[in-house]
Amino acid sequence: MDSLASAPILVSCRAHKFGGSSMADAGCIRRVANLLLADPCPRQIVITSAMQGTTDALVALGRAATAGADWATGLHAIRRRHLETAQALLQQPEPAQARIDALCDELSDLLRAAALLRQPGPTALARIHGMGELLSTGLLNAHLRERGADYALLDAREVLRVRHTELGAVVDHAASAALLFDWRTRNPQPRVNVTGFIASDEAGLPTTLGRNGSDYSAAIFAGLFEADELNIWSDVDGVLSADPRLVPEAVTLPTMSYSEACELAYFGAKVIHPQALAPAIARGLPIRMRNTFAPDQPGTRIDACGDPSGAGPVKGLTLNHDLALVCLEGAGLIGVPGTAERTFGALRAVGASVVMISQGSSEHSICCVVHAEQAQAARAALAAAFDRELAGGQVHGVTACTGISVLAAVGDGMAGTPGVAARLFDALARAQVNVRAIAQGASERNISVAMSAEDATRALRAVHAAFWLSPQTIALAVIGPGKVGAALLDQLEAAMPRLRRDANVDLRLRALATRSRLWTIEHGDGSGWRARMQSEPEPADLDAIAPHLHATHLPHKVILDCSASDAVASRYPHWLAAGIHVITPNKQAGAGPLERYRGIRAACAHSGARFRYEATVCAGLPVISTLRDLLDTGDALIAIDGIFSGTLAWLFNKFDGSQPFSELVRQAHALGYTEPDPRDDLSGTDVARKLVILAREAGMTLSLDDVQVQSLVPEELRSADREAFMAGLEALDAPMREALKQARAQDSVLRYIARLDQSGHASVALQAVPTDHAFAHLRLTDNCVSFTTRRYRDNPLVVQGPGAGPDVTAAGVFSDLLRLAAALGARL
Ligand code: ADP
Ligand code: ASP
Ligand code: MG
C-alpha cells in the first residue's frame, strides 16, 4: 500500500463518503454510482450513510417499541421504501430484495424484543439504529455489481472496534487493522463498499459512532485503508460560511484548515462530524467536501495549511442551540483562589459538559454554558458546592437560564487581526441582540457569544452580513410589477452582474409583491423573476414585506413601489421609519395629503432612510434632481413652466384641425398613450399632481386643492362611466375647434401647460403659445420643464425629452436606486 509520507501526486486510493442526502432514492444511488465509476482511481473505499431520514425513523421505531407504541407501521414503511428502491434501481432486484427482507425481519425481531423488554440494552438499540446503513450500502453494492464493477461489501461491524469514552467512540487501531487484514485476505478487491455509522465494541458487539457518525467512519476507514484523499459528498457545495438554511447568503469556502474545520464542527456546523477530523489530522489526509448534485463544483478542501492567503479573518459562523447559562455570582468570589476549580469539579461530578466559560476579570461571576438538559443538575451541583458561601453571603446566587444559543465565529485569520470583535459586536448591536456572555479562546481562532435563542438567527445573519457582504449589498422588494415594474425588473436583471463586478453594488431581489400577494425569493440575483411570479404566491400582504426584508440582515433595504396605489403609499412612513428606503414612480405620496407627506419627511429625518421619486415627474427625465441641484447650490426659484403630460403633449402636437379632437383621443387610447380611462389625462389631475410634487420639492406647502386646474373633460361627461365617456367623446370637438381657431388667430398653438410661480401660485390650463415658443416645438410625447431662477432668469434652464413609457419610467426609478447606492458608498 502507498505510504502517505511520500505525498502522492497521483491519488492511488481514494475514499468517498456519501451522506444520507446523496442516497435518498434510486436516482440518487445511481448518481453516486456514476460518480464512483467515473473516478479513475483504481482503489476506492466508499462509505455510505443510510437513505435520508432512515436513521431518524429507526430511532423513532426503537423509542416507540420501548414505549409500547405501534412500530409495525413504521417498519413496514422502511421495508417498502427499500424494496421499491431496489425495484427501481436494479435490473434483477430479487437477490437484493431477499436481503432487504432478511434485514427487516431481523429488525422486526429486535423491535418485538424491545417492546417485550421495555428496556432494550445498548446493543439491541445499536442494531436497530444501524440497520439503515446495512440496507443502503447493500443497495449501492448490488447496483455497482450489476454495472459490472467488482466492489466488495464490508459490514463495518466485522472489522471496526471502538471503545466508548467521554470523548466519544475511540478506535482500537491495532484490533481493527488486524481484523481488516484478515477480512482483506478473503476480500481482496481494490474497491470496497463500507457501511458508515456502525461498528462493534470491545466485546465485538454492535454499536454505533453516534448520530451523523458516518463522516467519522469515513475518516477511520480512509486511515485503515491508507487512502490518500477523502471526499465527503453531501447536498451542498462544500463547507459554507454559515448554515445555508439559516443564512441564504452563505458562501462556499474554497479551503480551510483542520483547526478551522474542528472549531466549526465542534461548535455545531452540521456539515462535518467533529470527530472525523482527528483521524485525518493524524495522517495529514486532505478532505474534500463536495456536492453529489453538482460534482463539477470544486467544493471545500480541508487540510493542514488551510488558506494561507487568509481570505478574511472569519471563516465560518455556527450556532449551537438548546443550551443554558449557569452563573455563579457574588462579591465574595473576588480574589478567592480555587473558585474555578470548585465550579468545574462540581459540574464534572454531575457529568455536565461545559460548552463555554466566561469569567469577568473582577472574578465577580463565573458563567458556564451547558446543555439545556443538564442545566438543573449543573445549578444544583454548584449550589451544593458553594453552600457555605451561599449561606454566608459571599455568593449571592446560582442561576440557570435555559433558552440560550451560542454563536461562534471561527477563523485562523482572527489571531492578530484587530477589530474582528468590534465588527462582530457592532453587527450584534445593530441587530439589537442582547449579548449574555462572551468567550474568546486564547488561540484567537474562535469568539463565542451566548444569547437568547430567539435572537440567534437574527444575530447569525447580521454577523454574516458584517463579515461577508459588500457594504453596498441592498435587499430589494418590488411592488406592483405591472408595465413599469416589469421593465424595471428586466433592467435590474441585466445590470446586476455588471454592478456587482464594477461598482461593488450587490443588489438582491428578495420580494415581489402586489397589494395582496407576496412572492419571496431567497437567493435573488434578479433572474427568473417572471417564473417566480408564475408560482403560487404566499398568503401574505403588504405588511409582510418589511419583516421579510429585515429577516436577512442585508446591510440596506429598499422598497421599489411601482404601483399607483394610495394604499401602498400610506405604508411609506412606516417603512421609512424602519430604515427601509423607498423609491417610487407612484405620485400618491408626493402629491397626496400634506400630513402624510410630512410624516414621510419626518420618518426619513428620524431613521436616515431615503425617499426618492424622480420618476414621478416626467418619467426618467432629470427634473427633480435638477431642481434639487439648483436649490442646493443656492439658486432661487422664480417659476416652473412645463408640459408634464406625454399624452396631452401628443394630442396637441397632432391637433391641427385636420381631424376632430375626439378622433385623436381615440387614436391615443388605442396606441396605449393614455391611461385606461383617458379622463385621468384630460382632467389635468395627473399634471397637477406633478406640479404639487415640484412645489413641495421647492419647499412650498402646496396641496392638490391649491392647484387651479382646467379640466378638458366636459362637465356632462365627468361622472359618466368609461364606456359612456368614450361614446360621448365628440362633446370635446366643438370647444377644441374653437380654442384652436382663437390660437391660430394669434399665430399661436395650443399647449396644456403647468405653471408654478415663486409666490406658490399653481395652475394647469390650456394655453395658446406663440409658434416660436420652446413648447411649440416638442415632438410626439415629449415633456418639457422650464426652470426660471435667479441664475437662469433671462434664458430658462430647460429639461426636455420623452417623459412617459415603461422603459424610461423604470430607468428613472433605477437611477434613483443607483444614486442611493452611491450615497451608501458604491463606486459609481
Ligand atoms: P448528509 O446527509 O450528506 O450527511 P447532512 O444533512 O448531515 O448531510 O449535512 C449537510 C447539511 O449541513 C447541508 O445540507 C446544510 O444544510 C447543513 N449545514 C449546516 N451548516 C453548514 C455549513 N457551515 N456548511 C455547509 N452545510 C452546512
Ligand atoms: N445515518 C446516521 C445518522 O443519520 C449516520 C450518518 O448519516 O452520518 O445519524
Ligand atoms: Mg451528515
Side-chain angles (χ1 to χ4, degrees), residues 32-39 41-42 44 46 138-153 189-193:
V32 166
N34 293 344
L35 287 171
L36 292 173
L37 297 176
D39 176 7
C41 187
Q44 261 182 16
V46 184
L139 279 169
L140 174 65
N141 182 260
H143 176 64
L144 285 164
R145 288 177 155 278
E146 262 194 1
R147 289 174 69 172
D150 185 13
Y151 279 74
L153 176 58
Q189 293 96 317
R191 293 188 165 200
V192 185
N193 288 124

Side-chain angles (χ1 to χ4, degrees), residues 518-544:
L518 177 67
W519 293 264
T520 57
I521 300 166
E522 280 310 327
H523 302 272
D525 61 357
S527 58
W529 67 269
R530 278 197 174 80
R532 185 72 187 98
M533 283 198 72
Q534 294 305 313
S535 66
E536 191 60 30
E538 282 153 44
D541 57 15
L542 287 176
D543 294 327

Side-chain angles (χ1 to χ4, degrees), residues 19-21 23-26 29 49-55 81-82 85 132-133 135-136 139:
S21 49
M23 300 286 290
D25 56 30
I29 297 176
S49 293
M51 293 177 78
Q52 194 167 40
T54 306
T55 314
R81 179 177 181 194
H82 287 87
T85 305
E133 271 67 14
L135 289 162
S136 65
L139 279 169

Side-chain angles (χ1 to χ4, degrees), residues 17 19-21 212 233-236 238-240 242-245 270-271:
K17 179 258 165 172
S21 49
N212 292 310
W233 298 83
S234 183
D235 60 351
V236 277
V239 182
L240 280 89
D243 187 335
R245 292 164 298 187
K270 202 192 157 203
V271 65

